[in-house]
Amino acid sequence: MNEQEFFQNIARRLGREFPADANAAAAAPARTSVGAPDFWQAHEWNHQERLDNFAAELARLGGSAQVYETLSALQEGLAALLLELSPSLVGVWGGEFIAKMQLQGVLSPCKVMEWVEQPEMIEQFAHIDVGVTGCDFAIADTGTVVLLAAAGQGRLVSLLPSVHIVVMKASQIHTRMGEVWRDIELRGLDPAHLPSTAIFISGPSRSSDIENDLTIGVHGPAAVHALIWDDGKS
Amino acid sequence: MSAGAKDRTSVIERSHAALQDDFLRAAVRFTTDRLKDRKHGATEELGRWEEWRERGREIRAHTVSHLDYYLRRFVDNARAAGAEIHFASDAQEASAAVLGVVHAKQAQLVAKSKSMVSEEIHINRRLEEQNVRVVETDLGEYIIQLANEMPSHIIIPAIHKTREQIKDLFTRDGGQNLGTDTKALVTFARRKLRETFLTADIGMTGCNFGVAESGSVVLFTNEGNADMVSALPKTHIVVMGMERVLPTFADLEVMANLLPRSATGQKVITYMSVITGPRRAQERCGPEELHIVILDNGRSSQLGDDEFRDVLHCIRCGACLNVCPVYRHIGGHAYGSVYPGPIGAVLTPLLLQGEEFADLPNASSLCGACYEACPVKIPLHDMLVALRRRAAGGPRTKRAERAAWRGYALAFAKPGRYRLVTRMARLAQTPLQHDGYIESTWGPLMGWTNSRHAPALAPESFRDRFSRMKQDVRTIKSDPQ
Amino acid sequence: MWMKVALFATCLVDNFYPHVAESMVRILNHCGVEVEFPEAQTCCGQPAFNSGYQEQARVVGRTLLDAFGNYEYVVSPSGSCTGMIHHYYPYLFDSNPGLAGHARELVTKTYEFSQFLVNILGVTDLGAQFAHTVTYHPSCHGSRLLGVKQEPLELLARVRDLNLVELPHAQDCCGFGGAFAVKMSEISTAMATEKADWVTETGAEVLVGTDMGCLMNIGGRMRHMGRPVRVMHLAELLLEGMEQGSGVRG
């Protein structure tokens, strides 16, 4: 069916002669309320509460969160974790992330591969053990990390390995999902400038499809570790 | 839409088979009870559930009543982000749109993530007819596909399968020395489906929600398969029902709270992917092309029908199935279409005209549990009554039924006649009754008497007794405080 | 306190369970309420309405509009029939300008028995004593359509020596559903059997409820299965308890 008929049919069913013109500002339907209930939109935790809740929620989902006072402590923590996991290959997402978090030294004992470009990387990352990424935001309410498909960030590094390690800063944690949208909106909602994907990850991959028995690590990672540098009150 | 009903059986016959299957009933009961309990816990924990639920209803009602506006915004924005949009008035046009992309890409293998709307258009069958391999990657759907069946639950497609059966299916699919423990079965599926993700030419998904203000497609999964399917192959095809739209991201926050809690009692879905167009030039992963097929398939007729417009509010969470006592006893396949349970009993007869679906609205005791559970407050029990009203007196109803209700109206519309008729019945029952119960197991009420004792009419009705009752009304002094 | 109310007996209680209505009259008398029974009433029309025969439901339901026009309160032993009035009468009579107002008025003054006692009369303790193990089945229409959830439990909680055991999965429908029980007999029976099994598991001597439709279904199924249980409407139980106990308090 052609587009015009499709919309014409919808309009007719709604009792209108013509479909609403989405470009005309006047056509925007009036709304009494948008989004979550008011009490929830007003809900906001302080820095410490956000940090504590994020860690508790992620743990509840079967992931883990470790908070470090300094960046160097975090680096030591990551080194210890990698030693424990002793992966044959560590995948990292690209961009300035490694440099910004000064992870070169920590990663140097491992064989490291950086995600450069799909589709070349897919085969190489298909059976990788550990993926290390940053994140763009996190949500305290649900223990969620948010990864955007921004320039240089190969977000599939979070999905393909068996273990996903997120290196992040406490200041990235928001109280609830709505605040993340607000931040993304501040960058402009122009579709051409939005990242092609924003993925919200809450704990390891799971399924209960076999006799309602919960298992983790179905398609995505079986373990999610968040290493958080507490970069101060914000 | 009617794979289970191709033999033209009625819901009575189909449920008869299900009621003989003890495993099915036990499995469905076990799982739905668990989901129901978890949902209860998750909504209690959230707090102020009714406020969330009301907000959910408002958002859906507002969007649906301005669907021309919001769908237009969605389409324009998705195009601006680089997506290609296709419009389909029915299942056939939707399949044609998908096949068009598949042929253009010379695709051999399509990886799919769970999608009710793709079941609705039977796309797997269409693709296989064209010698294109389709692999379902949601664990439950994968099991169902290997068994060559339809899903029997919106959220847990393989709710009716035992781990023994699953082991056998996986063994046939190449699994060696598989045990029946969940870990071993899942490990096999992970390995097997990983190949599919990596080699598929096209990834195909449904669409949980479309965001009008940005043209984004939003996908919810626990396994992570939708993200793999949408990101790894070079081409991503989305099939979405035209009513899936939400105005803003702020509204998505409400749905992200309602949907997982209602579906499985989870506080949060494990993976929520918000997809706005294909990969941008500077980005490092994602598909090169994004196609969105927007499907009507009967939705516009519901849109124009005041009694059933609200059914378009549905967010496909399955909560109504989990609380439905009928679903629990007969399982999903007895409904004979891709949408089982109370939502299916309403949707299916609206979408499909077949004889085999005519009785679906009658397969409910109208207990209202579905409405109570629905996160967007769809009055399913009222809709079932409305469907019965539309069928009443029509060609598919029995003559005896029509006569019975005419007789009822005649006898009960006037108190004098009512009294006469009930007195006559009292006399007529004399030879049939014993010890206050009717013992006959034949006649029009045998559906009752076959399994239940029926009370006899009392020797004297209340209205006859009342005139002789002496009332001794106690005078109570009201407390002056 | 002196009050007059109209009793809406329902066709089921009128013909099959007159003692339920009689118990209600006795209890209401005890609370200082005089009861009238307007003979114009027959049935709320729900059996036809739920089967899709709305015209038939309308002509029958009209008897209630005729019967109860002049009363301040209408009280009924059924959550389901009261729910029918509350939930569907405004819609059912909407198209008739002469009756629409009456229908809406009837909604505002019609109460299910326990609802009337607790919320209008403010009575929860009838001074009853009932030394038995009892389990309570909430009817779907009473609890969901009408919203009567706590009232029956508050009344039972004040009965001395009564051992109330919780019915597992109490909110699940018993499979009655009017014509559904006959039309979809096999499904209905499966639901009734499950309910019967839970009742048996409680070990209760008495099953109590506020809707004789459900009780007829569960009781009839249990009798057929060879494990009869004593089935009582809440009003019957309270009256029997009052005769044992000391009468109204508080």
Side-chain angles (χ1 to χ4, degrees), chain B residues 367-472:
Chain B
C367 75
C370 45
Y371 168 70
E372 197 175 56
C374 178
V376 291
K377 297 167 98 166
I378 302 172
L380 289 165
H381 60 307
D382 292 343
M383 291 182 176
L384 290 167
V385 172
L387 283 167
R388 293 177 187 185
R389 192 198 70 235
R390 289 187 183 187
R396 276 174 177 154
T397 52
K398 291 197 181 108
R399 186 186 299 200
E401 177 186 303
R402 297 195 293 268
W405 292 117
R406 270 200 307 274
Y408 163 81
L410 205 63
F412 279 48
K414 297 277 180 247
R417 265 185 246 151
Y418 166 89
R419 188 170 225 151
L420 186 71
V421 168
T422 51
R423 275 185 185 157
M424 275 159 50
R426 209 162 280 126
L427 288 174
Q429 73 172 0
T430 315
L432 302 173
Q433 69 156 321
H434 178 73
D435 205 13
Y437 287 87
I438 299 288
E439 299 229 309
S440 157
T441 51
W442 53 268
L445 295 180
M446 86 185 192
W448 181 280
T449 49
N450 274 341
S451 61
R452 285 161 285 215
H453 280 72
L457 289 159
E460 188 181 31
S461 71
F462 177 74
R463 65 182 61 216
D464 288 339
R465 192 190 290 203
F466 183 78
S467 53
R468 296 198 316 278
M469 267 179 81
K470 279 184 68 174
Q471 295 193 52
D472 175 18

Side-chain angles (χ1 to χ4, degrees), chain A residues 117-138:
Chain A
E117 193 73 46
Q118 196 169 336
E120 293 76 6
M121 305 311 292
I122 291 179
E123 197 55 46
Q124 300 175 54
F125 273 76
H127 303 287
I128 208 160
D129 306 316
V130 173
V132 181
T133 74
C135 72
D136 292 277
F137 309 99

Side-chain angles (χ1 to χ4, degrees), chain A residues 56-103:
Chain A
E57 288 297 327
L58 183 55
R60 223 170 67 140
L61 293 166
S64 79
Q66 190 69 47
V67 182
Y68 301 94
E69 293 295 319
T70 61
L71 183 56
S72 61
L74 182 145
Q75 290 157 352
E76 281 168 35
L78 177 59
L81 182 57
L82 288 172
L83 192 66
E84 187 190 323
L85 294 167
S86 59
S88 50
L89 188 63
V90 175
V92 296
W93 77 353
E96 297 156 7
F97 161 71
I98 301 282
K100 262 190 184 162
M101 300 298 270
Q102 301 161 32
L103 300 179

Side-chain angles (χ1 to χ4, degrees), chain C residues 27-179:
Chain C
I27 294 168
L28 288 168
N29 285 173
H30 204 95
C31 299
V33 177
E34 187 187 340
V35 178
E36 294 200 3
F37 180 86
E39 293 221 353
Q41 64 178 292
T42 65
C43 166
C44 65
Q46 182 171 204
F49 184 86
N50 282 356
S51 299
Y53 290 81
Q54 290 191 3
E55 195 41 51
Q56 287 79 354
R58 210 174 348 256
V59 296
V60 173
R62 199 185 153 156
T63 63
L64 302 195
L65 301 186
D66 294 341
F68 300 122
N70 296 324
Y71 292 90
E72 197 184 347
Y73 290 106
V74 179
V75 186
S76 152
S78 163
S80 182
C81 307
T82 308
M84 169 73 196
I85 293 171
H86 278 245
H87 195 64
Y88 289 122
Y89 268 30
Y91 158 80
L92 190 61
F93 293 102
D94 186 41
S95 55
N96 186 329
L99 299 177
H102 293 298
R104 283 196 297 274
E105 193 211 325
L106 186 61
V107 170
T108 63
K109 65 187 186 185
T110 304
Y111 296 86
E112 181 274 332
F113 170 65
S114 68
Q115 201 182 23
F116 185 75
L117 279 187
V118 174
N119 301 338
I120 301 299
L121 298 183
V123 173
T124 48
D125 191 343
L126 287 156
Q129 180 187 19
F130 194 79
H132 297 281
T133 304
V134 176
T135 195
Y136 167 68
H137 167 69
S139 86
C140 301
H141 288 172
S143 59
R144 294 201 184 98
L145 227 55
L146 194 59
V148 177
K149 294 183 191 223
Q150 287 311 311
E151 293 86 341
L153 294 170
E154 285 178 37
L155 288 161
L156 288 168
R158 300 292 195 292
V159 178
R160 278 146 205 83
D161 302 333
L162 183 148
N163 177 24
L164 186 69
V165 284
E166 194 179 330
L167 179 63
H169 300 274
Q171 304 78 8
D172 284 357
C173 176
C174 70
F176 176 58

Side-chain angles (χ1 to χ4, degrees), chain A residues 1 3 118 196 213 219-220, chain B residues 79 93 137 182 190 231 276 283:
Chain A
M1 188 183 254
E3 184 171 348
Q118 196 169 336
S196 70
D213 186 15
H219 292 308
Chain B
R79 276 195 184 123
E93 286 186 17
T137 62
T182 308
R190 178 185 171 101
T276 315
E283 289 176 1

